[in-house]
Amino acid sequence: MNLCTTTGLRCAVASIAAMFCLATTARAADLTVYTALEADQIKPYKAAFEKANPGINILWVRDSTGIITAKLLAEKANPKADVVMGLAATSLMLLQKEGMLMPYAPVGLDKVDAKMRDPAATPEWVGMDVWASAFCVNTVEAGKKNLPEPASWADLTKPVYQGQIAMPNPASSGTGFLMVSAWLQMFGWDGGWKYMDELHKNIAAYTHSGSKPCRQAAAGEYTIGLSFEYRANKTKKGGAPISIVLPKEGLGWDMEAIGIMKTTKEVDAAKKLADWAVTPEANKLYAENFAIVALPGIASSLEFVQDDVDKMLIKNDFAWAAENRDKILAEWSKRYDGKSEPKN
Amino acid sequence: MDSTPATVPYLRIRNLSKKFGAFTALDAVDLDVMPGEFVSFLGPSGCGKTTLLRAISGLDVQTTGSIHQGGLDISTLPVAKRDFGIVFQSYALFPNLTIKDNVAYGLVSAGTPRIAIDKRVKELLELVGLPEQAGKYPAQLSGGQQQRVALARALALSPGLLLLDEPLSALDARVRARLRGEIRDLQQRLKLTTIMVTHDQEEALTMSDRIVVMSHGRIEQVGTPDEIYGRPATAFVADFVGKMNFLEGRLVTSKRADVSGAVLDFGEEVPLAEGAAVTVCLRPEDVVVRDIGEHADNRLSVQVGVMEFIGNHFATTLHASGTNLNFSADFSINAVRDLGISSGATIEVALPPQRLRVFAQPRSAPA
Amino acid sequence: MTTETLSLPDRAAAIAPLRQKLGRDDWIMRGAVVALGLWLIVTVLLPLWALLSKSFQAADGSFVGLANFQAYFASPALANSIWHSIWVSLLSTFICVLLAFVYAYGLTRTCMPGRGLFRIIAQIPILAPSLLPAISLVYLFGNQGLVKWMLFGASIYGPIGIVMGEVFWTFPHALIIITTALAISDARLYEAAEALRASSHRTFWTVTIPGARYGLISAVFVVFTLVITDFGVPKVIGGKFNVLATDIYKQVVGQQNFQMGAVVGLILLLPAALAFVVDQLMQRRQLALLSARAVPYAPKPDATIDRAMLAICSLIAFAILVILGVSFFASIATLWPYNLTPSLKNFDFDMMDGGGWRSYFNSLVMAGLTALFGTAVIFTGAYLVEKTPRFRAIRGFVQFLALLPLAVPGLVLGLGYIFFFNNPANPLNFIYGTMAILVICTISHFYSVSHLTAVTALKQIDQEFETVSASLKVPFWRTFMRVTLPVCLPAVLDIAMYLFVNAMTTVSAVVFIYAPHTTLAAIAVLNMDDAGDVAPAAAMAMVVFATAAVTRTIYMLLTQGYLARAQMWRKR
């Protein structure tokens, strides 16, 4: 209040002026990028890109796959995003169907694995890496409760695991959705739902985020967390008493991909990010987190995950998954929504 | 403004009315206040005296009518454009400013040079008798002192008109009595036109040049304290100012009435038909008990009822023998002692005709 | 002041009433009142209107009447939330008010030792986001909880956790109201009861309870509103138990279904508005009790009662400290519960969701600006509404607008802000996604309580200052700066403190309108918890708490030291 030593009127005018000053922050080369990448991944990506492209500043809007997808669709009339990066390919295909993406062939597209991009000549999205499902099993708690380590999806439905499993809600989490999509493709539509009915009996909580089940398993809150290999690897590296299991029937998986919003006003900067995303430098960064990346030959292996992730991936029909996403989620919500966390 | 000849009123109020919704707070009020005059607005709460003051100050503009101050039409001027100083019952001193800063408050804004301000403040504090208190805060002064500071502050800009809104009501009796004299004295020295709102008749009677008695938004009577007390124009005034016996009766002739069996003569003719119902007003202290001649007018033989010792006099109730007339009378201690008046005694009293006021019934019943 | 009402046109008087010419002060004050009114219309009324109209629209903006409401009630999961919200709120309210009453009784009516300390401990929950107790409860009673056995196999995830968390979080609010109510009770009634040889039991039921009844009722409604509109606690610990507040969030953030969010928002507005009306009526009556010239009650020592109250209050204070302490220890443990070596790794917020340390500094900036501008706008506004001569209709309307936010849950206000400010057709669209909108929204969210504080302070000073100033030809703003503001300084600082602490801890309104570069600390707590980073969430909650606590302490020292000197004139 001591600032207002002048007359009340002058003070009021100054205050209002200051409020409006706050409102007009410079955003000359700011690129708003919507992403579902993990918070601990985006920092190095941002640093590397901004170093290679001085003058462009990435503003991340980060949330779970389902939320970022819903947000993009909801903002269709007045999109805020310039680029979508690190979102599930199935979600980008939805945006593509809505006509929200700009076709663009990044420099160096020819080197990208043909399976890992929009098949069109000038693609609307290009893959970055593959992420796949994994179990995190808390060995301390499993030992205390005398639980055998599950080896397969089928094992999870055994009554012994009742109330011991956390899994991500597919409506909000991309990791959750790729599991459901995998079950429906592996076991068939009816078989898949039957499997989930059985699994549901053992689920203690459906979480909002795909990382949370693994972290909860790490903290012993639940014994088994259905999550994905990056988080499993990272959590174990952090010292958590978990073992990482890749279910033997095959792994659900999805691609993280990048696409440019048709409505962006920062076309040049957006294209630069898309170009950067397919460079070997970028792919080397992806490879620190994931076993399979878009450029062949850069693949690596994760410290605590067995080597054959590549071979264990199921045959995944992305077009089918994207096409049926709404239908699958509606059915899932109808059957199991009661147990999910508030945000889903 | 002081140059205005004394025959021209300083404040001229014409046909002033104020309505709050359906309620009429002021009803066609006319009033002139002469330069240098001390006028009190007297009446019970809700009589319109405060509303009239607020119209004069511009705090609440009247619904209709006009106000001229010093020849200038101020009817619709905002408060800040009018020329008055005001003192409230609550003093309204700024608690966080020293006495000096309070008094200097208006001077600083008027752009008066610092030295002139200091001189003026000193002068004003001396005027109200508080020359030593300039550095103190209001809370460190007594109520009476605070009210004097408020007065000094109101006088600082030498206003043409001083408004006092119940200025003494928050003070205790002793301080009040002293301040009455001081304010009146100050007003006389400065020859400052002053209007005071009060519900206290003693205050009005002791301080004012003229009193405006109000009731239900109307002026009942305007007059000197003497006139108001001695010759109330209406039964309301008669009742509100001082104590009064209201005796119901009927006119026998234009100068005589039968009051509950007693026949009373008046000093003046009453312009009413014979047999008309009248109220005869008699102040208790006007009842004569000493030196009553054999043929004194309105001589009555009365029985003394209750005798209340008030301190400087006795208040008694009397019953006129052979009639239904009861009334109260105040007797001095001397008279009671000398004449041996006591409860149950029968004594002779007289009601001087020129002291009786007669009004037609129904009188407007004052509360 | 005469009792003046709005003058109705009088048909009898054909003459138009006189109108006073407006002076410079009148023009400025009226202009400022109108400006304040417009400000409140833009920052409170129009967002609510946008919310209301959205609830009657389809996703594409076409009018669909009550279709959204029908859809809402057709979904059993959603409609169930209403019932969940109501019973959880009722239960929390009952427990909280009961405990607060006992605690307040100990503070005001007994001579138990340590009352000053108990008072301070009871204020702790106000300084933390509501997410903090929920996180602590997970550590205490979750599957790995320290004292999980105390729940006898029941799960903390659900109504039990929500009720416990809400009781903790709302306790100080109830305590303040009830303490005030008990403190103003008239000692003469107790003396009378004693003289009549009433048993202490009878005195309690015939004197104590009736004397505090309006305070109790008011506390019930305040706590009920806080609980039913809070979403921090149920979000963290509600598990599969859905309530209205989490439904809005779920609809809007989770599914981006704004129309349904608007519907739930309106449903949530009903109980809050009702509680607001009842509370206003109660407070008016409590004030009426206050105006009597009561003799303050001074408790006499009574070993039995004092010892019993000390035991109970210690238990409650211990619970508060435990809940705070658990979050603290969890935040400095390397990997709870397997590796309890102290470490600061959970404070490395930059590697977590929620925006990192930047969120914290954003929060500091946001809270600072809210306190600065909010106090300036609200106090000046309250002054104008109180002191502008005449102009009654407009002033009354502005007063109504100033009290309106009290009836609007934060989530509902935040949602209204999305609808109103994120509309590209709105010329104010440019503030969307900036720090300014967070500041404006937070000021609006906490406007009413601050406004009432200012009005109370203004009513306590002499009503004739303005008249005296005008008669001395001093402009009103000079008197405002020179007299009104200094005299009301304690209230002004109170408002600034209130705004700062609430801006630091609030989640509900701002959760919908923060942008990537304006993430806030309390929201980071939410997001980290969501991603499973519970320990870092606890760490950030502790950082927020520490900031609020330090600020509060500095404020106390300042007011005791500086104010005592600057306000010499208060002494006799």
Side-chain angles (χ1 to χ4, degrees):
Chain A
M1 290 309 90
N2 293 337
L3 296 180
C4 298
T5 45
T6 54
T7 65
L9 183 69
R10 230 180 292 162
C11 187
V13 170
S15 307
I16 291 163
M19 289 289 254
F20 281 106
C21 287
L22 285 172
T24 53
T25 40
R27 46 177 62 194
D30 286 353
L31 201 57
T32 302
V33 182
Y34 277 32
T35 184
L37 290 166
E38 294 295 300
D40 40 12
Q41 297 169 350
I42 58 181
K43 217 174 179 183
Y45 295 179
K46 173 180 157 88
F49 169 74
E50 286 174 1
K51 196 174 165 212
N53 296 276
I56 303 175
N57 177 33
I58 294 181
L59 288 177
W60 298 109
V61 175
R62 203 212 85 75
D63 214 316
S64 291
T65 308
I67 288 173
I68 288 294
T69 309
K71 206 172 168 72
L72 284 161
L73 291 172
E75 289 174 356
K76 192 180 159 189
N78 184 26
K80 299 273 182 292
D82 296 307
V83 176
V84 181
M85 182 181 187
L87 187 67
T90 42
S91 288
L92 276 163
M93 288 161 85
L94 275 181
L95 303 182
Q96 184 177 19
K97 210 174 81 186
E98 296 284 330
M100 292 165 69
L101 298 179
M102 174 192 285
Y104 174 65
V107 181
L109 176 69
D110 49 323
K111 299 203 182 64
V112 171
D113 187 336
K115 293 197 297 293
M116 298 215 27
R117 49 169 282 202
D118 175 10
T122 308
E124 295 189 17
W125 55 269
V126 178
M128 294 155 59
D129 51 58
V130 164
W131 93 100
S133 30
F135 305 169
C136 299
V137 182
N138 187 308
T139 50
V140 177
E141 299 305 316
K144 270 193 234 167
K145 292 168 188 155
N146 241 341
L147 295 177
E149 189 171 282
S152 65
W153 295 116
D155 283 351
L156 295 176
T157 59
K158 289 180 180 166
V160 67
Y161 297 118
Q162 196 180 343
Q164 302 298 331
I165 306 172
M167 95 164 249
N169 182 329
S172 61
S173 161
T175 306
F177 181 73
L178 66 81
M179 285 182 211
V180 173
S181 156
W183 296 329
L184 291 172
Q185 292 184 57
M186 282 192 290
F187 308 143
W189 182 262
D190 293 336
W193 289 114
K194 198 164 156 273
Y195 171 76
M196 282 183 265
D197 286 347
E198 290 299 312
L199 180 66
H200 181 69
K201 291 177 189 159
N202 287 348
I203 298 281
Y206 291 105
T207 67
H208 157 72
S209 132
S211 287
K212 192 168 184 179
C214 189
R215 285 175 169 139
Q216 285 184 319
E221 193 61 22
Y222 304 110
T223 312
I224 302 167
L226 310 188
S227 188
F228 63 108
E229 86 286 21
Y230 163 77
R231 180 55 60 206
N233 184 55
K234 181 110 183 176
T235 306
K236 186 160 175 127
K237 208 164 156 184
I242 55 168
S243 69
I244 300 169
V245 175
L246 301 180
K248 65 181 181 200
E249 293 97 330
L251 309 181
W253 60 283
D254 204 335
M255 268 185 280
E256 286 181 326
I258 182 168
I260 299 172
M261 295 294 287
K262 195 182 251 170
T263 45
T264 179
K265 293 195 181 76
E266 302 284 349
V267 179
D268 292 339
K271 284 180 175 172
K272 281 195 178 120
L273 182 58
D275 290 345
W276 179 82
V278 299
T279 58
E281 292 72 39
N283 275 261
K284 276 175 198 153
L285 288 175
Y286 307 155
E288 287 177 19
N289 303 322
F290 297 100
I292 306 160
V293 298
L295 293 188
I298 297 183
S300 65
S301 63
L302 300 176
E303 198 175 346
F304 297 102
V305 179
Q306 54 200 93
D307 285 347
D308 46 0
V309 171
D310 198 3
K311 295 189 194 76
M312 292 183 70
L313 300 181
I314 63 157
K315 191 176 171 304
N316 199 348
D317 185 346
F318 286 122
W320 177 84
E323 186 83 7
N324 291 289
R325 191 174 183 273
D326 282 352
K327 193 176 146 196
I328 294 170
L329 292 181
E331 180 68 23
W332 190 91
S333 293
K334 205 176 90 193
R335 285 174 186 250
Y336 316 119
D337 212 5
K339 265 189 195 174
S340 55
E341 281 186 335
K343 179 171 165 184
N344 59 5
Chain B
M1 285 164 205
D2 287 352
S3 59
T4 321
T7 46
V8 179
Y10 179 65
L11 197 66
R12 187 188 194 100
I13 294 167
R14 286 293 175 272
N15 199 26
L16 205 70
S17 293
K18 175 76 184 175
K19 287 182 203 294
F20 297 117
F23 174 70
T24 302
L26 284 179
D27 192 1
V29 167
D30 291 319
L31 181 69
D32 287 336
V33 178
M34 294 297 158
E37 202 179 15
F38 193 122
V39 173
S40 293
F41 296 168
L42 177 66
S45 52
C47 71
K49 59 188 191 297
T50 301
T51 311
L52 184 54
L53 187 85
R54 292 178 71 85
I56 294 168
S57 64
L59 286 171
D60 272 319
V61 77
Q62 65 277 13
T63 312
T64 55
S66 69
I67 306 176
H68 287 73
Q69 181 179 357
L72 184 72
D73 184 356
I74 62 163
S75 304
T76 57
L77 285 186
V79 178
K81 297 267 170 179
R82 302 191 185 199
D83 176 28
F84 67 91
I86 191 162
V87 174
F88 290 102
Q89 178 181 347
S90 64
Y91 327 135
L93 293 179
F94 305 126
N96 60 324
L97 302 183
T98 59
I99 300 309
K100 173 177 179 268
D101 288 342
N102 263 285
V103 177
Y105 198 75
L107 298 166
V108 173
S109 271
T112 317
R114 180 181 288 271
I115 300 169
I117 291 177
D118 288 348
K119 185 163 165 273
R120 178 75 175 141
V121 170
K122 196 157 174 280
E123 195 178 293
L124 286 161
L125 286 178
E126 273 166 13
L127 192 68
V128 297
L130 296 170
E132 309 299 324
Q133 315 285 358
K136 290 191 178 167
Y137 288 103
Q140 295 166 319
L141 301 187
S142 70
Q145 287 173 322
Q146 291 191 50
Q147 197 55 298
R148 280 185 251 183
V149 175
L151 194 59
R153 182 178 62 183
L155 296 174
L157 293 181
S158 307
L161 178 64
L162 180 62
L163 302 178
L164 307 171
D165 188 0
E166 306 257 5
L168 306 174
S169 304
L171 303 170
D172 60 50
R174 198 176 285 269
V175 179
R176 192 158 24 176
R178 199 174 65 227
L179 259 182
R180 276 206 305 245
E182 287 181 21
I183 292 175
R184 172 64 169 159
D185 208 47
L186 197 65
Q187 184 267 338
Q188 297 260 284
R189 267 192 284 157
L190 300 175
K191 296 190 173 55
L192 181 58
T193 315
T194 301
I195 292 172
M196 176 171 77
V197 163
T198 182
H199 64 270
D200 180 338
Q201 44 162 310
E202 220 176 291
E203 219 165 271
L205 291 169
T206 50
M207 296 171 78
S208 321
D209 293 315
R210 281 193 302 155
I211 297 173
V212 178
V213 183
M214 298 182 67
S215 164
H216 292 98
R218 293 169 173 277
I219 291 181
E220 292 279 332
Q221 185 177 5
V222 182
T224 63
D226 208 32
E227 285 167 349
I228 296 291
Y229 192 87
R231 302 183 60 77
T234 65
F236 173 83
V237 177
D239 186 41
F240 189 75
V241 182
K243 281 206 291 180
M244 188 67 86
N245 287 297
F246 290 94
L247 312 173
E248 319 253 301
R250 283 188 182 280
L251 279 188
V252 180
T253 71
S254 63
K255 292 186 76 175
R256 169 173 293 179
D258 179 330
V259 181
S260 307
V263 175
L264 299 179
D265 292 323
F266 331 126
E268 285 168 14
E269 283 193 27
V270 179
L272 291 172
E274 274 176 31
V278 291
T279 299
V280 178
C281 296
L282 166 69
R283 292 219 182 269
E285 70 268 25
D286 284 340
V287 177
V288 179
V289 69
R290 284 178 189 269
D291 307 326
I292 305 165
E294 195 65 25
H295 302 288
D297 293 326
N298 299 336
R299 180 184 167 125
L300 296 170
S301 173
V302 297
Q303 253 182 317
V304 181
V306 180
M307 286 186 71
E308 248 185 312
F309 179 60
I310 302 296
N312 54 357
H313 69 272
F314 278 92
T316 66
T317 54
L318 306 178
H319 173 71
S321 313
T323 71
N324 291 324
L325 179 62
N326 293 304
F327 57 98
S328 56
D330 291 348
F331 296 140
S332 71
I333 309 276
N334 281 333
V336 172
R337 198 186 299 135
D338 297 352
L339 301 175
I341 300 171
S342 64
S343 194
T346 301
I347 56 171
E348 297 293 307
V349 296
L351 313 181
Q354 63 278 14
R355 290 270 158 218
L356 298 180
R357 308 281 304 161
V358 183
F359 302 102
Q361 279 191 43
R363 60 189 179 92
S364 53
Chain C
M1 287 271 178
T2 46
T3 50
E4 221 168 293
T5 50
L6 270 177
S7 52
L8 300 165
D10 191 331
R11 283 177 197 85
I15 319 155
L18 284 181
R19 299 191 136 232
Q20 193 163 32
K21 286 184 189 119
L22 297 180
R24 178 195 51 191
D25 281 12
D26 291 308
W27 282 112
I28 297 172
M29 290 180 95
R30 287 178 180 211
V33 169
V34 169
L36 178 71
L38 290 175
W39 170 267
L40 287 169
I41 286 174
V42 170
T43 62
V44 179
L45 205 56
L46 290 180
L48 287 179
W49 173 252
L51 176 91
L52 185 70
S53 48
K54 201 79 174 180
S55 69
F56 295 104
Q57 289 173 5
D60 59 7
S62 59
F63 183 79
V64 293
L66 293 170
N68 291 326
F69 290 86
Q70 280 165 351
Y72 177 85
F73 287 103
S75 155
L78 288 177
N80 233 344
S81 301
I82 297 180
W83 171 235
H84 283 174
S85 273
I86 290 174
W87 81 256
V88 162
S89 303
L90 285 175
L91 186 60
S92 307
T93 304
F94 175 75
I95 297 173
C96 174
V97 171
L98 188 70
L99 291 179
F101 180 80
V102 173
Y103 203 92
Y105 191 89
L107 288 179
T108 55
R109 294 303 174 79
T110 72
C111 293
M112 65 170 185
R115 277 168 294 168
L117 186 66
F118 282 125
R119 249 176 227 277
I120 292 173
I121 292 173
Q123 293 307 308
I124 284 176
I126 262 183
L127 303 175
S130 62
L131 303 142
L132 184 139
I135 291 171
S136 292
L137 289 172
V138 170
Y139 281 117
L140 283 168
F141 302 105
N143 292 328
Q144 286 295 319
L146 294 166
V147 286
K148 189 190 171 202
W149 54 269
M150 286 176 79
L151 290 185
F152 302 108
S155 170
I156 191 71
Y157 296 104
I160 298 177
I162 297 177
V163 169
M164 289 170 79
E166 297 290 10
V167 168
F168 172 89
W169 182 61
T170 55
F171 181 76
H173 297 271
L175 185 71
I176 291 169
I177 298 169
I178 298 173
T179 309
T180 313
L182 283 176
I184 61 167
S185 294
D186 194 340
R188 291 174 303 182
L189 292 174
Y190 290 87
E191 284 159 9
E194 207 176 337
L196 294 168
R197 314 209 170 165
S199 66
S200 56
H201 179 257
R202 186 143 178 258
T203 308
F204 179 82
W205 287 107
T206 53
V207 179
T208 308
I209 294 289
R213 67 186 183 279
Y214 296 123
L216 283 171
I217 295 170
S218 179
V220 163
F221 280 99
V222 165
V223 171
F224 182 83
T225 312
L226 282 171
V227 174
I228 204 166
T229 61
D230 175 55
F231 98 117
V233 173
K235 175 76 195 67
V236 171
I237 210 167
K240 58 188 175 183
F241 189 83
N242 292 329
V243 294
L244 285 172
T246 48
D247 276 353
I248 299 192
Y249 187 66
K250 180 166 136 183
Q251 291 295 335
V252 173
V253 173
Q255 299 174 1
Q256 305 282 312
N257 187 345
F258 295 100
Q259 292 70 34
M260 201 54 86
V263 168
V264 186
L266 281 180
I267 291 169
L268 194 56
L269 196 55
L270 288 180
L274 181 72
F276 165 75
V277 171
V278 176
D279 184 50
Q280 287 297 301
L281 294 174
M282 286 305 136
Q283 283 187 354
R284 221 161 280 170
R285 296 201 186 171
Q286 178 86 50
L287 282 180
L289 281 182
L290 236 177
S291 61
R293 284 185 180 246
V295 178
Y297 179 82
K300 298 187 196 84
D302 179 326
T304 322
I305 291 179
D306 290 354
R307 231 172 281 152
M309 291 309 296
L310 179 64
I312 298 173
C313 290
S314 300
L315 211 62
I316 295 173
F318 178 73
I320 291 174
L321 290 175
V322 163
I323 285 177
L324 183 72
V326 164
S327 270
F328 175 69
F329 287 115
S331 68
I332 59 165
T334 308
L335 181 66
W336 185 283
Y338 301 110
N339 180 357
L340 299 182
T341 322
S343 110
L344 289 178
K345 108 179 170 20
N346 291 324
F347 291 84
D348 185 10
F349 298 132
D350 288 346
M351 293 309 282
M352 325 270 176
D353 267 317
W357 275 102
R358 180 168 183 180
S359 302
Y360 173 70
F361 295 112
N362 282 341
S363 268
L364 277 185
V365 171
M366 201 276 269
L369 290 173
T370 301
L372 187 69
F373 289 108
T375 311
V377 169
I378 294 167
F379 187 81
T380 312
Y383 174 84
L384 292 166
V385 169
E386 274 297 300
K387 304 292 186 184
T388 300
R390 297 174 300 279
F391 212 43
R392 283 175 194 87
I394 307 284
R395 276 166 50 210
F397 181 61
V398 174
Q399 171 85 358
F400 162 76
L401 289 177
L403 292 180
L404 189 58
L406 205 53
V408 182
L411 285 170
V412 176
L413 187 69
L415 194 52
Y417 267 53
I418 304 187
F419 296 145
F420 183 64
F421 287 103
N422 194 27
N423 182 348
N426 186 337
L428 294 171
N429 180 245
F430 71 93
I431 73 161
Y432 194 74
T434 64
M435 184 62 92
I437 196 173
L438 295 179
V439 172
I440 291 169
C441 180
T442 309
I443 292 173
S444 301
H445 186 182
F446 299 106
Y447 199 102
S448 305
V449 172
S450 311
H451 176 80
L452 287 172
T453 308
V455 166
T456 308
L458 287 166
K459 279 197 192 300
Q460 279 167 353
I461 63 176
D462 199 303
Q463 298 307 302
E464 310 292 3
F465 284 169
E466 281 66 32
T467 312
V468 168
S469 305
S471 77
L472 293 171
K473 318 278 180 275
V474 178
F476 80 94
W477 62 80
R478 208 178 124 75
T479 304
F480 175 72
M481 295 308 293
R482 220 151 154 230
V483 178
T484 315
L485 197 54
V487 170
C488 294
L489 196 59
V492 169
L493 291 177
D494 264 358
I495 293 169
M497 191 64 221
Y498 169 85
L499 288 175
F500 183 87
V501 168
N502 276 297
M504 278 307 288
T505 58
T506 189
V507 177
S508 55
V510 287
V511 75
F512 290 130
I513 50 177
Y514 73 91
H517 57 284
T518 60
T519 51
L520 298 171
I523 293 169
V525 176
L526 179 76
N527 285 331
M528 287 190 277
D529 176 77
D530 245 348
D533 283 326
V534 184
M540 183 65 101
M542 284 311 293
V543 171
V544 170
F545 167 77
T547 307
V550 167
T551 316
R552 184 79 166 248
T553 310
I554 292 174
Y555 162 75
M556 268 165 60
L557 296 176
L558 270 183
T559 44
Q560 277 168 9
Y562 168 76
L563 272 187
R565 257 178 294 130
Q567 308 244 314
M568 283 286 281
W569 51 266
R570 285 187 196 279
K571 296 210 184 76
R572 279 183 177 270

